[in-house]
Amino acid sequence: MNTVMIDGKEYEVAKLSPELQNYLVVRQEIQASKVRHNLELEKIEVLTAHYNKKIAELIKKEIPEEKK
């Protein structure tokens, strides 16, 4: 039996209208998409930090600081 909890009450999905079932599917897909996007944003943060570090290292090698 496939059920869904809405406003604290459990409903059997098969007994809901096709329109409501479609809305539930769409909402589930949107929530999954949000999770995927958040994971991608985390990857972007990690990669950005990695390349910022590499850029800073190469700048130090290629452009030595001026002697005081």
Side-chain angles (χ1 to χ4, degrees):
M1 175 168 41
N2 191 7
T3 61
V4 64
M5 184 77 71
I6 300 172
D7 294 332
K9 189 171 179 189
E10 196 168 334
Y11 298 92
E12 192 174 333
V13 174
K15 292 182 179 179
L16 301 174
S17 71
E19 181 180 22
L20 183 51
Q21 289 181 35
N22 286 336
Y23 288 160
L24 292 171
V25 169
V26 169
R27 182 184 67 176
Q28 184 178 9
E29 290 173 357
I30 290 168
Q31 289 171 330
S33 178
K34 180 180 177 184
V35 169
R36 284 192 303 275
H37 282 85
N38 283 334
L39 289 172
E40 287 301 316
L41 288 171
E42 287 179 20
K43 290 179 194 176
I44 289 168
E45 291 290 329
V46 169
L47 286 170
T48 299
H50 170 76
Y51 285 107
N52 284 344
K53 181 180 175 184
K54 292 293 185 184
I55 290 167
E57 289 171 358
L58 286 176
I59 288 288
K60 287 179 183 177
K61 282 183 182 178
E62 293 181 19
I63 305 172
E65 292 183 32
E66 293 181 20
K67 296 182 180 179
K68 293 182 183 180

